[in-house]
Amino acid sequence: MKYATSAILLTVGLLLSDASQAEGLRETVLRKAAIDAGLMPAEETQRAVAPEVAAVGKLIFETRKLSLEHEVACASCHIDRFGSADGLPNAIGTEGRGQGIERLLGGGDIIPRNVLPLWGRGGKGFDVFFWDGRVEATADGVHSQFAGGEPSDDPLTVAVHLPPVEIGEMVLNSAGNEKLQGESVESATEVFTLLAERLSNDADIGPKLSGAMGVEREKIRFLHVAQALAAFIRDNFRLKATRFHQFVFSGGSLSNAEIAGGLLFYGKARCSTCHNGPYFTNMEFHAVPFPQVGFGKNGFGTDYGRYNVTLDVDDLYKFRTPPLYNVTKTAPYSHSGSVFTLEAAIRAHTDPLYEYVGSLANDAQRANFYEQLRRWATEPLFGIHLSDEEIANLVAFLSTLEFASDAAIKEGE
Ligand code: HEC
Ligand code: HEC
């Protein structure tokens, strides 16, 4: 998704240079910049789902029966309390127990990526999934490891097929499951068949899934399971209006710091060159030099990102621009979960050496970091300087992207 960013920057610049003190002008500029960058009312992103399908999808999302050895549920890692993520740097799958710190200290198989929250993931135009975009819908169809045999033309339905066959995520890392290593579609199909049979025979889920999908119990396939999961995500995690939506579309107000942060976001700090559109992501891949600490998808201290999908060296260390809804609740940040505050996440974009301690990295990690920096140097971020106050204002702005209805719940805590 491309928006006329330079035009927006120019408008913001011109209007501010002249009469920046004029009452209301800053608000007007911010509203216009947001709309020009693709923001739309939350309801306009939503897609209708059948409530009975979403309801059975919720049961499936919450059950460990969807894990081959009954180890974990989707809800073990996508947890309400952590804004549909898990509050940990890297996810802990099979053999993990508990939530938060308890899970971290308890051991278990590590998924070397930070959990992504699920908001907006079933909405209109949300069609690139996972940090590296390994499921993606383009004009010529859905692309994924199913390599032409995609089970659905809905990318979310394809995406939810992956966790139940991912070693260490929902399938035990054991000798018997080795065949699933290397993303073999054949071995995955065996697991799908077994899980579909298990749920179809389940006294609670079986009849409900059959009724909701309108198929006989013995004809339930994994595709029906995935469609129910997708319907639940589409419904439960739909975008809701934030304070920023209320400000842009229905005359709500923001604090001075929030407005200053918003003007930076769409102006000088250039955040909206990548974080744009209705989800605050262009659905494209960029190199932001977040440190890669600990485990990585490509070995200790290494994650090649988008390169893993395309094998194009230009894509090394690039990751899908993440959406920013409720980002105040989903620390730690980035694909590697290496930074713990929003201040540090923003600083990593523009001042990556600020916290980098070269002597704590090994030579291979330093070599990776130099490569990350080389790619970052061609991104629109390079050369932007942000003061501490500007970073604080940006953080204030990001807090306006919490769902307004959830914020009300938080107050009562
Ligand atoms: C062990 C923890 C764990 C479990 C269990 C788990 N997930 Fe996730 N989920 C993750 C992580 C980590 C990511 C990011 C992985 C990546 O991008 O490489 C993720 C990403 C996703 C995404 C992509 C979101 C986006 O922004 O593109 C979806 C959709 C998703 N999970 C749905 C599910 C569903 C449905 C289940 C159950 C079938 C499930 N997850 C089970 C950890 C987990
Ligand atoms: C060049 C494109 C680009 C620009 C410009 C950009 N970002 Fe990002 N942003 C990304 C990418 C890509 C990531 C994820 C990188 C990774 O995980 O390695 C990210 C991550 C983030 C995160 C962490 C989100 C999470 O869920 O982990 C925040 C917060 C964020 N950006 C805010 C901002 C702000 C504020 C600005 C403006 C100062 C900005 N970004 C500018 C591409 C960009």
Side-chain angles (χ1 to χ4, degrees), residues 233-248:
I233 291 174
R234 193 156 267 149
D235 179 50
N236 190 66
F237 298 102
R238 66 190 183 281
L239 285 197
K240 297 179 200 160
T242 64
R243 279 203 297 125
F244 190 54
H245 286 95
Q246 291 169 346
F247 166 80
V248 173

Side-chain angles (χ1 to χ4, degrees), residues 73-74 77-78 93 113 116 121 129-131 134 169 320:
C74 308
C77 297
H78 298 284
R113 290 249 170 102
L116 281 160
R121 270 49 175 187
F129 287 85
F130 302 106
W131 283 107
R134 61 187 180 277
E169 188 161 342
R320 184 196 65 188

Side-chain angles (χ1 to χ4, degrees), residues 253-290:
S253 60
L254 297 182
S255 74
N256 279 336
E258 290 163 351
I259 291 174
L263 290 169
L264 281 165
F265 189 93
Y266 291 101
K268 173 192 149 184
R270 299 187 139 231
C271 312
S272 65
T273 47
C274 301
H275 295 282
N276 61 32
Y279 303 101
F280 289 90
T281 164
N282 53 2
M283 304 279 172
E284 288 170 10
F285 302 87
H286 296 278
V288 178
F290 281 100

Side-chain angles (χ1 to χ4, degrees), residues 164-220:
V165 292
E166 190 87 33
I167 300 262
E169 188 161 342
M170 297 185 81
V171 180
L172 266 185
N173 190 354
S174 67
N177 290 333
E178 244 164 29
K179 54 187 194 292
L180 284 169
Q181 215 70 268
E183 306 186 337
S184 142
V185 173
E186 234 168 74
S187 315
T189 307
E190 281 173 35
V191 177
F192 291 144
T193 307
L194 192 150
L195 294 175
E197 271 173 25
R198 183 188 289 169
L199 292 185
S200 143
N201 291 331
D202 186 82
D204 182 27
I205 294 175
K208 287 178 181 158
L209 187 57
S210 152
M213 303 304 295
V215 288
E216 292 163 43
R217 253 174 104 173
E218 51 283 8
K219 296 217 172 113
I220 289 177

Side-chain angles (χ1 to χ4, degrees), residues 98-149:
Q99 297 183 352
I101 292 295
E102 189 192 341
R103 197 171 184 84
L104 189 65
L105 299 177
D109 292 318
I110 289 179
I111 310 296
R113 290 249 170 102
N114 187 234
V115 175
L116 281 160
L118 300 177
W119 290 291
R121 270 49 175 187
K124 290 178 193 157
F126 203 111
D127 44 19
V128 180
F129 287 85
F130 302 106
W131 283 107
D132 48 19
R134 61 187 180 277
V135 174
E136 181 182 20
T138 63
D140 57 351
V142 179
H143 304 275
S144 72
Q145 66 204 50
F146 290 99

